[in-house]
Amino acid sequence: MTRHLAHEQSFELLGTRAVDLDCIRPATAPDPLISVVMPSFNRAGLIGRTITSVLSQRLDRFELIIVDDGSTDDTLDLLNDWDDRRIAVFQMRRNSGAPAARNAGVKMARSPLIAFQDSDDEWQPTLLEHHVQALKRADVSFCQLEQRYPSGRSFFPPTGWQLADDVYAQLLGSSHISTQTLAMTRAIFQRVGGFDPAMPRFQDWDLVLRLARIGARFHYINEPLAVAHDSPDSLTRSLDKGIVGRQRLIEKHGEALVAQPAALARHHYVMGSQLRTLGRFAEAQAQFAAVLQATPLNWRAAAQWLLASVHR
């Protein structure tokens, strides 16, 4: 496999240390309207479905930037078989995590508009054209997500949900915007420093909150144009990473959360429940105590605190 050493880059990732990136194959399609950034790690068995859904977009003036994060499977060999001028393939020289890989992909983008996709999910054919139209008047565009499980499906945000005037306050307590639904201007992405590589989970939630906090203009596409599949290695399955990620969100947005005690209580309640599931009962008690401090009449949290106190 040929590596285009002339395109080798060493740069400072947004808000992180320098990371080396090799260009395996550049995109040669001219003048993309939007750059699609997709990290991948050991997804040889799934990434083909995702690439097909991106290449099937009705708007075809885009580039697809795939950043392999040091895969040890056949991902790179599989990518080499895709013959499309819109595809660029880069590889991190060391495994750095999806947020760093996404930041690296944005650095390589040739368009002022950026969309994000995950390597195990799909898009409906009209998503990119909706994003491009929305970003003519907004800084951030996102659509509804269809989450598919073996037993059924659900939608996020739920049907009937609408953007509030104060997007930051609206999103502090609950995450409604997922990475594969997101597009934005490159300028607004750079302004907030990109994804935070120190976030083990909720990188998209954290990014969206930072965008809302600076007053970015959001546009909601009220159609399920992105499809997420329940994967065995999905980050959403990791309780430990979810707890750490939620703690970091509280640290980053603590002042605003104090002003919204119900939202703060919800974070602590979720962490307490997860810690109980993991058998970390003393830590669970501390989280339920924090719920009661924020919302003193929360009888559910009081009951959970009692259960944790008897190791149940």
Side-chain angles (χ1 to χ4, degrees):
M1 188 179 298
T2 303
R3 292 176 181 262
H4 299 265
L5 296 180
H7 294 269
E8 242 177 49
Q9 300 288 338
S10 179
F11 54 82
E12 191 73 17
L13 282 177
L14 303 176
T16 67
R17 57 183 171 77
V19 172
D20 291 323
L21 188 73
D22 285 330
C23 179
I24 307 300
R25 169 176 137 201
T28 58
D31 195 24
L33 285 176
I34 189 166
S35 299
V36 179
V37 174
M38 182 172 72
S40 181
F41 178 70
N42 287 348
R43 286 282 174 77
L46 296 171
I47 196 171
R49 176 182 64 190
T50 304
I51 294 172
T52 298
S53 83
V54 175
L55 297 183
S56 299
Q57 291 295 295
R58 197 158 72 182
L59 182 151
D60 62 1
R61 254 183 73 192
F62 64 85
E63 63 178 351
L64 171 58
I65 300 170
I66 301 171
V67 182
D68 181 78
D69 193 23
S71 292
T72 56
D73 64 0
D74 297 329
T75 296
L76 285 179
D77 291 333
L78 183 149
L79 294 176
N80 201 40
D81 292 336
W82 286 86
D83 184 19
D84 193 297
R85 297 176 64 203
R86 295 170 293 179
I87 296 177
V89 180
F90 294 87
Q91 186 178 43
M92 308 290 279
R93 290 183 181 169
R94 53 182 172 271
N95 179 265
S96 302
R102 290 189 187 101
N103 289 345
V106 172
K107 279 283 191 178
M108 298 297 101
R110 293 181 292 151
S111 170
L113 305 181
I114 308 294
F116 296 100
Q117 176 59 301
D118 291 338
S119 58
D120 57 344
D121 296 326
E122 295 178 87
W123 284 343
Q124 301 297 353
T126 59
L127 179 57
L128 280 185
E129 69 179 8
H130 277 83
H131 278 324
V132 169
Q133 287 300 314
L135 292 173
K136 291 179 180 180
R137 57 189 182 277
D139 303 305
V140 181
S141 171
F142 67 101
C143 70
Q144 189 180 43
L145 175 70
E146 177 187 348
Q147 178 72 59
R148 294 181 184 174
Y149 306 96
S151 59
R153 62 180 183 169
S154 55
F155 295 91
F156 302 97
T159 301
W161 184 88
Q162 295 181 332
L163 270 175
D165 290 335
D166 188 345
V167 179
Y168 183 55
Q170 182 182 26
L171 298 178
L172 273 172
S174 298
S175 174
H176 290 292
I177 305 176
S178 188
T179 308
Q180 65 277 74
T181 72
L182 262 176
M184 64 194 68
T185 66
R186 182 172 178 170
I188 202 76
F189 180 83
Q190 291 174 326
R191 183 177 167 189
V192 298
F195 288 97
D196 182 357
M199 292 289 294
R201 258 194 72 191
F202 304 128
Q203 303 100 339
D204 44 9
W205 193 359
D206 170 62
L207 175 65
V208 166
L209 283 173
R210 286 185 283 118
L211 288 164
R213 186 166 57 188
I214 65 167
R217 297 167 298 167
F218 282 73
H219 177 82
Y220 175 42
I221 304 164
N222 190 15
E223 296 181 56
L225 299 181
V227 179
H229 295 274
D230 188 40
S231 300
D233 61 345
S234 171
L235 277 176
T236 59
R237 289 177 174 266
S238 171
L239 292 183
D240 283 313
K241 289 181 178 179
I243 292 164
V244 175
R246 205 173 282 270
Q247 287 171 332
R248 285 189 58 80
L249 281 177
I250 292 173
E251 291 168 5
K252 287 186 170 193
H253 305 279
E255 186 174 334
L257 282 166
V258 168
Q260 289 198 43
L264 180 60
R266 184 179 185 279
H267 283 293
H268 286 298
Y269 190 94
V270 171
M271 287 191 292
S273 300
Q274 292 172 335
L275 287 162
R276 269 191 64 216
T277 299
L278 295 171
R280 292 158 59 181
F281 297 110
E283 294 172 78
Q285 278 187 280
Q287 293 299 328
F288 292 126
V291 176
L292 293 169
Q293 183 176 3
T295 53
L297 300 180
N298 193 320
W299 64 268
R300 293 180 187 274
Q304 293 289 332
W305 185 92
L306 287 171
L307 287 171
S309 71
V310 293
H311 290 196
R312 291 182 56 191

